[in-house]
Amino acid sequence: MRSQLFLSTLLFSTVTGSQVANLNIPADVAAEYGCNATCYRTFSAILYIDAMEYGALYDEEFYATANNFSASAPGDILKFQPIVPDELSGSVPKGTTAYRFQYTSVDLFGNTVPVTGFIAFPYANRTNGQLFRTVAWAHGTSGVFRGCAPSVIPSLYEYGSWSYLIERGYAVVATDYAGLGNDQAGHPYVALSAHANDVFYSVVAVRKLFGASLSTEWMSVGHSQGGGTVWSLAESSLPRNNNSSAGRYLGTVAQAPGVFMGSTALVALESTQKSTSDIASSRSVLGEVGFAVIGFQNIYPNETFSWMDHTFRERLKLAKKAQACYTSMESLTTDLDINQVFNLSANTTNEQAR
Ligand SMILES: *[C@@H]1O[C@H](CO)[C@@H](O)[C@H](O)[C@H]1NC(C)=O
Ligand SMILES: *[C@@H]1O[C@H](CO)[C@@H](O)[C@H](O)[C@H]1NC(C)=O
Ligand SMILES: *[C@@H]1O[C@H](CO)[C@@H](O)[C@H](O)[C@H]1NC(C)=O
Ligand SMILES: *[C@@H]1O[C@H](CO)[C@@H](O)[C@H](O)[C@H]1NC(C)=O
Ligand SMILES: *[C@@H]1O[C@H](CO)[C@@H](O)[C@H](O)[C@H]1NC(C)=O
Ligand SMILES: *[C@@H]1O[C@H](CO)[C@@H](O)[C@H](O)[C@H]1NC(C)=O
Ligand SMILES: *[C@@H]1O[C@H](CO)[C@@H](O)[C@H](O)[C@H]1NC(C)=O
Ligand SMILES: *[C@@H]1O[C@H](CO)[C@@H](O)[C@H](O)[C@H]1NC(C)=O
């Protein structure tokens, strides 16, 4: 009775969402950060688009760290919440059943950290006892702030990325990565081994909820930031033990993996300095620099980034103020020259470039 009441409360309570990302920033505030009318026209337009996609479902209570986190072990379930189907939008396949959960993972330094994510099941008949084949999905860059987490986004950040797995009958276990969704610790963007922990322990955790419905075998698939993550997972010792609590790991598919991000960025930046023909590709590289800087600072808060130009430093403060997610954050570099991002006269630029 009690559990039934509890379940219906979960199922029928409407999520009280607060917008926590892609916040509206007035022009005069943007100007204080050196974002003039030209910059603001682009930034505000893209912020508006991002705001339609992100943050609409942020439930402060759910994403807050669970009371029992400190006594928990990696792979423990801390919270669990069905996602009301009407809240889903975009290209999520019809009939998908999804749940948000909070669980315990391990950070870069070996400490436990609370992480959120979701699990999605296809609409399929399992009355014959059939198990869902299990895939851990690692998402590409969505941003570096709490409201940029896939489990917060009404499309669950489906961008032609994981829906094909659902359509083929897989259950998809999708971590947000630490610092996105729950933000007890800032998101350590592209600290790949930390993200790999988040993927691994998400599988351990969901088995505690849905173990009877999931295949023992599992594999990981990831794109971009997530491609690098699953690459790192495959190299790590975590899934090696076939009888680990995650199940038997079969392997990984890494799509456009972000594994050599530093050297990729340098090649693109060097080509900009030589010619102007690669401006478009280097622009997107410049856009990525901001994610990397904030991610690095989340791990090493005292890092000062002496190679960063003042203009870009101010833009990142603006991004933080707006809690800008993917496209709006990248748009903050579209009107900048390379020397407004990097202080090329500072000796540290060359040192760090090597
Ligand atoms: C904004 O600054 C850029 C260069 O930093 C300049 O090209 C542009 O004309 C400025 N726009 C306005 C409206 O002042
Ligand atoms: C933490 O508390 C929640 C809610 O009471 C419970 O469902 C979950 O199992 C607990 N987790 C641990 C590791 O104690
Ligand atoms: C689901 O599977 C059961 C058992 O195999 C079968 O009796 C039932 O007709 C199936 N339902 C649908 C909608 O296919
Ligand atoms: C895991 O399973 C594979 C294939 O079944 C086998 O080759 C390998 O030796 C196993 N590893 C361990 C640690 O049991
Ligand atoms: C894994 O589990 C299987 C079946 O329970 C058992 O036969 C095997 O010895 C175990 N392997 C390891 C490495 O623990
Ligand atoms: C960062 O700086 C503060 C204040 O100077 C210092 O107390 C702290 O130990 C530093 N942290 C690290 C990780 O170096
Ligand atoms: C760039 O670096 C040089 C050398 O360290 C320094 O003198 C200058 O103030 C820096 N410029 C900016 C805008 O930070
Ligand atoms: C940069 O490095 C060169 C060579 O090591 C040195 O001569 C120069 O003084 C340095 N400049 C600054 C601004 O530190």
Side-chain angles (χ1 to χ4, degrees):
M1 182 63 188
R2 201 189 130 89
S3 66
Q4 209 166 14
L5 267 179
F6 179 60
L7 191 66
S8 48
T9 311
L10 277 178
L11 287 172
F12 300 114
S13 66
T14 35
V15 176
T16 44
S18 33
Q19 190 186 342
V20 297
N22 307 299
L23 307 171
N24 185 35
I25 299 287
D28 57 330
V29 173
E32 285 168 26
Y33 296 89
C35 180
N36 71 9
T38 311
C39 161
Y40 184 71
R41 201 175 309 126
T42 309
F43 183 52
S44 58
I46 297 180
L47 255 187
Y48 178 77
I49 295 169
D50 270 3
M52 315 258 279
E53 263 188 65
Y54 293 85
L57 295 178
Y58 198 91
D59 172 354
E60 299 273 0
E61 197 181 322
F62 181 81
Y63 287 100
T65 300
N67 293 333
N68 54 2
F69 162 68
S70 57
S72 70
D76 277 352
I77 283 284
L78 302 171
K79 293 187 188 185
F80 169 63
Q81 180 189 69
I83 300 178
V84 179
D86 287 352
E87 290 173 356
L88 296 176
S89 66
S91 49
V92 175
K94 292 234 175 323
T96 300
T97 301
Y99 304 82
R100 283 186 198 92
F101 59 99
Q102 187 179 117
Y103 66 105
T104 305
S105 181
V106 174
D107 73 9
L108 201 56
F109 305 105
N111 303 312
T112 56
V113 63
V115 182
T116 47
F118 70 89
I119 180 169
F121 293 96
Y123 182 61
N125 186 356
R126 296 192 318 102
T127 50
N128 57 7
Q130 175 202 343
L131 300 176
F132 288 109
R133 289 169 295 165
T134 309
V135 167
W137 164 251
H139 67 85
T141 304
S142 62
V144 288
F145 303 116
R146 63 179 183 159
C148 312
S151 77
V152 177
I153 304 172
S155 69
L156 299 175
Y157 208 42
E158 204 303 296
Y159 53 97
S161 48
W162 55 266
S163 61
Y164 64 93
L165 293 166
I166 292 286
E167 281 156 4
R168 283 161 183 75
Y170 291 87
V172 174
V173 185
T175 181
D176 286 334
Y177 310 133
L180 301 180
N182 173 282
D183 71 341
Q184 170 160 307
H187 178 50
Y189 183 71
V190 298
L192 296 177
S193 63
H195 303 342
N197 289 342
D198 298 343
V199 170
F200 181 80
Y201 289 110
S202 71
V203 176
V204 177
V206 296
R207 286 198 187 282
K208 292 177 180 163
L209 294 170
F210 297 105
S213 312
L214 299 172
S215 61
T216 305
E217 293 80 14
W218 67 286
M219 63 176 294
S220 51
V221 182
H223 170 244
S224 189
Q225 178 185 9
T229 297
V230 294
W231 182 305
S232 171
L233 176 69
E235 287 182 341
S236 81
S237 62
L238 281 175
R240 292 277 173 264
N241 180 353
N242 290 346
N243 291 0
S244 82
S245 42
R248 197 162 82 84
Y249 180 67
L250 298 180
T252 205
V253 176
Q255 304 164 333
V259 278
F260 304 114
M261 307 258 291
S263 34
T264 309
L266 284 176
V267 169
L269 292 174
E270 274 169 14
S271 68
T272 355
Q273 288 182 277
K274 289 190 195 112
S275 77
T276 51
S277 62
D278 289 321
I279 291 287
S281 72
S282 66
R283 282 264 168 259
S284 79
V285 170
L286 288 183
E288 298 280 335
V289 173
F291 298 120
V293 165
I294 293 178
F296 198 81
Q297 213 153 32
N298 283 336
I299 306 169
Y300 302 106
N302 289 358
E303 172 61 45
T304 57
F305 303 102
S306 54
W307 49 264
M308 211 194 305
D309 187 74
H310 176 75
T311 311
F312 187 54
R313 200 180 288 276
E314 290 302 300
R315 293 287 172 95
L316 289 186
K317 286 184 195 159
L318 178 58
K320 211 171 260 186
K321 188 166 185 75
Q323 295 283 292
C325 290
Y326 185 65
T327 320
S328 49
M329 174 108 167
E330 288 213 326
S331 79
L332 279 172
T333 52
T334 49
D335 64 325
L336 299 185
D337 288 332
I338 187 167
N339 59 11
Q340 292 173 299
V341 175
F342 300 101
N343 178 355
L344 298 174
S345 63
N347 275 357
T348 49
T349 309
N350 288 326
E351 279 161 26
Q352 302 206 359
R354 280 184 216 109

